[in-house]
Amino acid sequence: MSTTTVRLATPPQIIYNQTMLDIKYIRENPDAVQTAAKNKGYAVNIAELLESDKTRRDLQGETDALREKRNAISAQMKGGKPSPELIEQGKLIKDELSHIENRLREADENFAKIMMGIPNVMADDVPIGGEELSVEIRTWGERKSGAIDHVDFCEKRDWLDFERGAKVAGAKFYYLKNELALLENAIYQFALGKLIAKNFTFMTVPHMVNQRTAEGAGFAPKSDKESNEYFIDGENMMLVGTAEAPLTGYHADEILDEDDLPLFYAGYSPCYRREAGTYGKHTRGLFRVHQFNKLEMYAFCLPEQSADIHEKILAIEEEIWQELEIPYHVINIASGDLGAPAAKKYDIEYWSPVDAKYRELTSCSNCTDYQARNLNIRVRRKNGAIETVHTLNGTAVALARSLVAIIENYQLPDGRLRVPIALQSFMNEMEIL
RNA sequence: GGAGAGGUGACCGAGUGGUUGAAGGUACUGGUCUUGAAAACCAGCGUGCAGCAAUGUACCGAGGGUUCGAAUCCCUCCCUCUCCGCCA
């Protein structure tokens, strides 16, 4: 495609059966949903939602009754020549119906709008509060102290070039060069091999997704100024911030077989993030950039499986960092830092000898039925019942950050870098770079 | 990008504006038959919303329109396929 065609923006499609949380659940547990939203820091009004729901349902009932009448009248006209009286009746109903259908449409749109803003409820063991209340649940490895910043370390070796990245693209774009680029590939190969051995289905994925997929997976809509996503002008698409987005959409509108679940996918993609407003924070170098590569784990499963699978995904992440011998701790993320889709989230933070603190390395979330409901992903049970599936995602390796963790923990005093034993077979058996 | 042909249920595939939620076939499920299996035969078999249920209603790519009534007619958009062009 040589030119970008400019199309009229597609009017937002309100899909009424695709609500963020199950409205039935909200009707029965309004307080729980209201409290959960508050603890996550979302300003939503459940009372207003329920009122809107009532209006919508009442209008739906009136509409259905009118349609029934209309259908009955036209059924009488089948075959013979319609009588003028019947046609007159039909016309009356038509007018009445179009009036009430307009009101119904408005009510549906209003309802959908409110529903969009309702975040998923949390698991019971999620700490309530802001980021600082996240709970450390495990530590591993020996924390080192004192190391050279990875940017300084890498630039001396001609491994990393932010200056030219800025010249060619902009701030926070970079080139990886020489051994560092090879090391990135080695980490990727190492992690990919592990996931394949664990029977994940490996996929490369679209690097752009449409608005429905993006919003369904829980990524901010275009209208959100705070959005971390890059949108393609005139295309109604965004560059993915993670393979989670295209992986979530993979089974959209499908009814899966119970026997096929759980499904485990590994998706590899570049990740594009605007990171607007983060320039002031301590994010020097590769730790927070506009583009990086990531291997992501993703699972579709039965509701009763998701809690265990969440632990399983976390265990795989830990296995990766243990084999790479990077000290870390695992934290259970507090409600205020969970985001809308997640019911529970674990982060792994590695120990940074440069900063003398833990810094985020990976993250895995149980989104329960939130994403699946948005994107209409269901399962047919053996008994024939149809239910919304649960989805989970977790970082296998986020490459840029992984490099930071390794450089900080494996550097030698003479300016060289040891290669983690687990990676040596992917680095031509080199032990020191 | 140009020209043409299409988008119907898990899949294939009928469908004249009203008798089509949708023929027929395949797959699947249950049953009969059989030592067992296959075959044959009988029956069942979409999703959402409302309802205890009966049932009502909506959905034939999406959105609008015409009509008393639309899977069927009109418009716009999306997607797929074939040929041409271009290209890793």
Side-chain angles (χ1 to χ4, degrees):
Chain A
M1 191 181 294
S2 56
T3 56
T4 297
T5 49
V6 177
R7 291 188 214 108
L8 290 174
T10 311
Q13 293 184 16
I14 309 294
I15 300 164
Y16 308 119
N17 61 0
Q18 288 175 17
T19 49
M20 292 293 173
L21 267 175
D22 189 345
I23 184 62
K24 286 178 195 159
Y25 175 83
I26 299 177
R27 279 181 211 137
E28 286 160 19
N29 307 277
D31 296 341
V33 176
Q34 182 70 71
T35 303
K38 181 167 161 279
N39 288 336
K40 277 192 169 186
Y42 285 76
V44 295
N45 185 336
I46 299 299
E48 186 191 357
L49 174 74
L50 292 178
E51 197 181 308
S52 166
D53 177 45
K54 173 110 175 44
T55 306
R56 176 185 70 108
R57 284 205 288 169
D58 288 348
L59 285 168
Q60 182 71 57
E62 291 179 47
T63 305
D64 282 358
L66 271 175
R67 283 173 176 163
E68 185 179 1
K69 254 164 89 180
R70 179 198 62 191
N71 292 344
I73 287 170
S74 50
Q76 288 178 52
M77 291 188 223
K78 282 175 194 165
K81 315 116 191 109
S83 74
E85 291 77 22
L86 278 178
I87 288 179
E88 195 50 39
Q89 278 185 52
K91 281 186 175 173
L92 283 174
I93 287 184
K94 184 187 176 183
D95 288 345
E96 216 178 330
L97 196 53
S98 85
H99 176 69
I100 199 154
E101 277 176 343
N102 279 334
R103 287 175 57 207
L104 176 62
R105 190 176 311 120
E106 276 174 37
D108 275 339
E109 282 169 7
N110 181 254
F111 173 75
K113 203 175 114 199
I114 303 174
M115 278 298 272
M116 286 276 283
I118 312 273
N120 200 357
V121 297
M122 295 80 84
D124 294 337
D125 55 350
V126 170
I128 304 301
E131 189 177 353
E132 67 289 351
L133 290 178
S134 294
V135 172
E136 178 181 85
I137 59 174
R138 185 152 55 244
T139 64
W140 186 90
E142 193 178 326
R143 299 194 261 174
K144 297 184 180 120
S145 62
I148 296 172
D149 176 84
H150 74 279
V151 177
D152 298 335
F153 187 90
C154 290
E155 284 180 346
K156 275 201 186 93
R157 302 291 307 273
D158 193 23
W159 283 358
L160 179 61
D161 194 335
F162 269 98
E163 252 183 65
R164 290 194 176 91
K167 175 175 71 178
V168 169
K172 292 189 180 292
F173 286 95
Y174 55 95
Y175 291 82
L176 298 182
K177 296 176 71 180
N178 298 312
E179 285 85 348
L180 191 64
L182 290 171
L183 192 63
E184 185 200 38
N185 183 58
I187 298 166
Y188 169 45
Q189 295 299 331
F190 162 71
L192 178 58
K194 181 169 287 298
L195 296 189
I196 288 173
K198 293 179 185 297
N199 285 318
F200 280 72
T201 299
F202 177 50
M203 302 208 258
T204 62
V205 300
H207 297 172
M208 297 184 203
V209 294
N210 56 34
Q211 193 164 338
R212 182 205 175 197
T213 305
E215 291 184 20
F219 297 96
K222 197 171 187 171
S223 57
D224 188 344
K225 293 283 187 294
E226 302 283 296
S227 171
N228 202 13
E229 319 299 331
Y230 288 104
F231 287 89
I232 309 299
D233 199 22
E235 287 287 338
N236 200 28
M237 302 226 278
M238 69 166 212
L239 287 169
V240 299
T242 160
E244 177 190 344
L247 288 170
T248 306
Y250 186 72
H251 285 299
D253 296 320
E254 294 181 24
I255 299 178
L256 306 167
D257 278 340
E258 177 168 1
D259 288 339
D260 292 336
L261 298 182
L263 288 165
F264 290 98
Y265 295 112
Y268 184 65
S269 79
C271 302
Y272 302 97
R273 301 189 180 185
R274 294 178 59 218
E275 304 292 357
T278 61
Y279 284 76
K281 297 182 184 173
H282 178 190
T283 52
R284 177 168 152 81
L286 290 170
F287 193 76
R288 190 180 295 282
V289 285
H290 287 316
Q291 179 188 324
F292 60 94
N293 298 313
K294 178 158 64 71
L295 181 64
E296 181 82 357
M297 297 178 272
Y298 202 87
F300 296 89
C301 69
L302 300 170
E304 65 270 25
Q305 295 170 331
S306 71
D308 285 347
I309 288 176
H310 195 200
E311 300 300 322
K312 177 180 169 170
I313 288 173
L314 174 62
I316 293 170
E317 292 183 357
E318 291 195 57
E319 191 180 316
I320 287 171
W321 295 106
Q322 288 180 15
E323 286 187 28
L324 290 174
E325 298 182 84
I326 299 289
Y328 65 84
H329 74 172
V330 179
I331 54 176
N332 181 7
I333 298 295
S335 64
D337 215 24
L338 268 188
K344 185 177 177 183
K345 174 154 84 173
Y346 294 121
D347 278 6
I348 290 182
E349 298 181 325
Y350 80 98
W351 177 256
S352 167
V354 173
D355 289 350
K357 67 172 189 182
Y358 287 105
R359 303 175 80 190
E360 183 180 349
L361 192 53
T362 72
S363 176
C364 60
S365 301
N366 183 354
C367 295
T368 64
D369 62 353
Y370 188 85
Q371 295 175 321
R373 189 181 310 283
N374 296 344
L375 290 172
N376 201 22
I377 307 168
R378 293 169 294 173
V379 56
R380 190 188 312 276
R381 294 286 197 168
K382 290 201 181 82
N383 67 10
I386 288 173
E387 279 179 52
T388 304
V389 302
H390 279 198
T391 62
L392 303 100
N393 64 81
T395 317
V397 283
L399 275 313
R401 272 183 191 185
S402 302
L403 288 171
V404 176
I406 288 171
I407 291 161
E408 291 184 353
N409 279 283
Y410 277 85
Q411 57 184 251
L412 296 169
D414 62 4
R416 295 189 298 165
L417 187 75
R418 285 201 299 123
V419 178
I421 292 166
L423 298 183
Q424 289 176 4
S425 64
F426 302 99
M427 288 292 286
N428 282 326
E429 305 301 338
M430 286 188 285
E431 294 174 14
I432 294 184
L433 302 176

